Amino acid sequence: MNDLAEKALRGLDAARKQLRDRPMLCLAVLGFAIASVVVVAGGRVGAARSTRPLTTWLGLQDSHGLTPGDNLPGAVMLAAIVALVLLWLLTVEIVRRTRPPDSRVWWVAAAWITPFAVGPPLMDTSVHTYVAYGLLQRAGRDPYTSSPSLLGDSPIVAAIDPGARGVPSSAGPLGTVLQHLSVSISGGSALGAVIVVRVVCLLAVIWIGRLAADLGGSHRAEALSLCVLNPLVLLYFVSSPHLDAVMIAFVLASLSAANQHRWLTAVALAGVAGSVSAQGFIAVPIIITVHWLSRRTVAAWRLIGRDLLVAAGTISACGLIQPGGFGWLWTVSKQFTTHTPFAVASAIGEVLAPIVRAASFDDLAASGRITAMTAAVCTIIYLIITARRRALERTTGYALLALGLLAPSLNPWYVLWGALCLAPTANGPRRIWVLALSAAACVLTPPGFSRLLTNGITAVALVVTAAITIVLLTVDARRTSAEPATVSAEN
């Protein structure tokens, strides 16, 4: 027994030495292993119940689905996701302290991304919905007035979550073009189109990483680790590709252009971002406002008028590329039609229920949605009015975060709208909040469990995350307040 304990201690010391000497290599290997477990277990769980996948996906995807009460694959997947989140937190801290070259962070990112890029789509069925909209366009139908259910008994319809089969597209005109293009490139193959969308989103993630590193300045490696290694990015932009990745990439490109005082380019890129997904349009008024506040000799009316003309021209041009390209104006709210129990709007409805006893569920839900959206609009207006007080990327990040967190429905990837804008320059409390929000979103409504068990797991995970966040913020505040006292004593 003593020999076994001695051997275990020696192995632990060797592992500790290896981690100290080659931390990035160890993090890459460990992250690849954990990501592989997530993919294998996730293939058994499936993206959603009551769906039938397009393929077995190299044998990783179970075409039969889970039987009721079979929680083991979901538990393994959830444990692996939590382990990946913890490894990410450790990696961010190691990168912050050691400041390795960008190339090493990219190698770690390649190792973590590979299993998600090769494995089946996990977490949700959005990518299959994109392909269905592309197939509708191929059949000559307008995706803004038609829904995937019109494809009849097509295998792609069976692969979509039942709640999304009757919903028209809410993507911007460029997002709709990408959906159509993915089907055209694959020759009408639904599986090929899924792969094309994943490749597009993977390229967007790489672009996000490069832009984040540029925005990070002297903290390039840390900015990279906060963005491309983020498990939420791996789950919802690589494994289950969302066109939001393309939208955020253009938003970051607009912020980068604005920081270089290329204001017209920044406004145009923000217009392109919104033409992929409407949330990106929030960056347009923010950039114009910051440009106006930073003016020196140009008259305000001329500067604002020129920026507005560029924005209007870009948005109009993008809308004219797609037939019926302005149809998103009437369907953009459709992406918020689902009821999510942990959304702020849902919480407001629950609070109002005992107060207004005669109100129906629909009335309470509508009240919660109106209240939450009013709060989001007021927050965004306040951020625009006070844009002089903070950096451009912070104003944009807070505005997108307010829209995502206060939306009528709360989906995990909504957190990335603002978090990826804040991450490149985040430090102190803002860095802790980016880490906490991303970690919490990773365990928001995990798949593989019954609805009741899912809500219970999410509630516990959110409480634990909130408690840890409060502790970290308290420690950071104490350390910050102690630093000036230490400096004064030394002087």
Side-chain angles (χ1 to χ4, degrees):
M1 187 69 178
N2 291 334
D3 291 340
L4 290 175
E6 186 176 351
K7 290 180 180 179
L9 290 174
R10 288 179 181 175
L12 185 61
D13 290 338
R16 196 159 37 221
K17 185 177 183 300
Q18 189 74 6
L19 181 62
R20 184 177 63 251
D21 296 341
R22 297 182 178 179
M24 302 307 288
L25 177 61
C26 294
L27 293 170
V29 173
L30 188 56
F32 177 84
I34 296 174
S36 299
V37 174
V38 174
V39 170
V40 172
R44 180 72 178 85
V45 171
R49 293 183 182 269
S50 303
T51 59
R52 187 168 62 249
L54 292 172
T55 176
T56 59
W57 209 281
L58 303 176
L60 295 172
Q61 185 82 62
D62 189 347
S63 59
H64 301 290
L66 290 177
T67 58
D70 185 7
N71 296 323
L72 180 59
V76 174
M77 181 183 183
L78 178 61
I81 290 174
V82 172
L84 188 62
V85 169
L86 294 176
L87 183 65
W88 174 54
L89 299 178
L90 174 63
T91 303
V92 170
E93 185 62 21
I94 290 175
V95 169
R96 187 181 70 85
R97 294 186 179 187
T98 62
R99 295 193 177 185
D102 294 1
S103 58
R104 294 187 182 180
V105 180
W106 278 115
W107 278 113
V108 175
W112 290 24
I113 286 174
T114 299
F116 294 106
V118 174
L122 308 176
M123 311 310 289
D124 72 0
T125 62
S126 293
V127 65
H128 300 102
T129 309
Y130 297 154
V131 173
Y133 293 138
L135 290 171
L136 284 171
Q137 295 176 76
R138 188 179 179 86
R141 294 182 176 272
D142 182 0
Y144 295 124
T145 58
S146 306
S147 63
S149 60
L150 293 178
L151 294 173
D153 58 354
S154 173
I156 193 66
V157 178
I160 298 174
D161 188 287
R165 294 174 186 173
V167 180
S169 175
S170 59
L174 291 186
T176 303
V177 168
L178 288 174
Q179 293 167 358
H180 192 185
L181 188 62
S182 66
V183 174
S184 299
I185 291 175
S186 62
S189 168
L191 178 60
V194 169
I195 295 173
V196 171
V197 174
R198 174 174 281 178
V199 170
V200 169
C201 291
L202 181 58
L203 292 175
V205 169
I206 295 173
W207 190 20
I208 287 172
R210 293 178 62 88
L211 291 167
D214 292 340
L215 290 169
S218 60
H219 300 279
R220 293 177 58 88
E222 186 177 354
L224 270 175
S225 66
L226 284 168
C227 292
V228 296
L229 297 182
N230 190 330
L232 196 59
V233 171
L234 304 180
L235 291 172
Y236 288 99
F237 283 177
V238 180
S239 177
S240 179
H242 289 77
L243 292 180
D244 303 65
V246 181
M247 179 269 289
I248 293 173
F250 277 108
V251 169
L252 290 178
S254 70
L255 298 179
S256 178
N259 286 343
Q260 299 170 26
H261 300 290
R262 296 186 291 120
W263 295 104
L264 296 182
T265 302
V267 172
L269 288 170
V272 172
S275 297
V276 176
S277 186
Q279 292 76 23
F281 283 131
I282 288 180
V284 174
I286 295 175
I287 291 174
I288 293 176
T289 300
V290 173
H291 186 196
W292 167 61
L293 292 173
S294 62
R295 78 188 191 282
R296 294 184 179 178
T297 57
V298 181
W301 66 269
R302 180 179 298 177
L303 183 148
I304 295 174
R306 185 176 57 190
D307 287 354
L308 287 175
L309 283 176
V310 171
T314 302
I315 295 169
S316 299
C318 292
L320 294 174
I321 290 175
Q322 169 69 26
F326 296 99
W328 63 269
L329 291 170
W330 292 269
T331 62
V332 67
S333 61
K334 299 294 184 182
Q335 63 181 304
F336 303 119
T337 55
T338 57
H339 173 76
T340 51
F342 292 94
V344 173
S346 301
I348 294 173
E350 294 293 333
V351 170
L352 292 176
I355 300 173
V356 190
R357 298 181 182 274
S360 64
F361 175 82
D362 291 339
D363 292 336
L364 292 172
S367 300
R369 288 168 178 259
I370 293 172
T371 304
M373 286 308 299
T374 301
V377 171
C378 292
T379 301
I380 293 169
I381 292 175
Y382 169 79
L383 289 169
I384 293 175
I385 293 174
T386 60
R388 190 191 296 272
R389 302 179 185 177
R390 66 188 75 84
L392 172 61
E393 56 271 16
R394 286 172 55 195
T395 300
T396 306
Y398 291 149
L400 286 169
L401 200 59
L403 181 61
L405 296 180
L406 295 174
S409 301
L410 177 60
N411 289 310
W413 65 91
Y414 290 2
V415 171
L416 290 173
W417 297 346
L420 290 180
C421 294
L422 295 171
T425 57
N427 53 34
R430 287 194 301 276
R431 179 169 157 274
I432 293 174
W433 277 113
V434 168
L435 294 172
L437 288 171
S438 299
C442 286
V443 293
L444 191 67
T445 60
F449 305 98
S450 65
R451 180 175 298 181
L452 181 61
L453 186 56
T454 295
N455 292 342
I457 292 173
T458 301
V460 172
L462 292 180
V463 169
V464 171
T465 304
I468 295 174
T469 303
I470 292 172
V471 172
L472 292 177
L473 289 172
T474 303
V475 172
D476 181 77
R478 289 177 179 175
R479 183 171 61 241
T480 303
S481 61
E483 286 177 356
T486 303
V487 174
S488 300
E490 291 176 354
N491 292 336

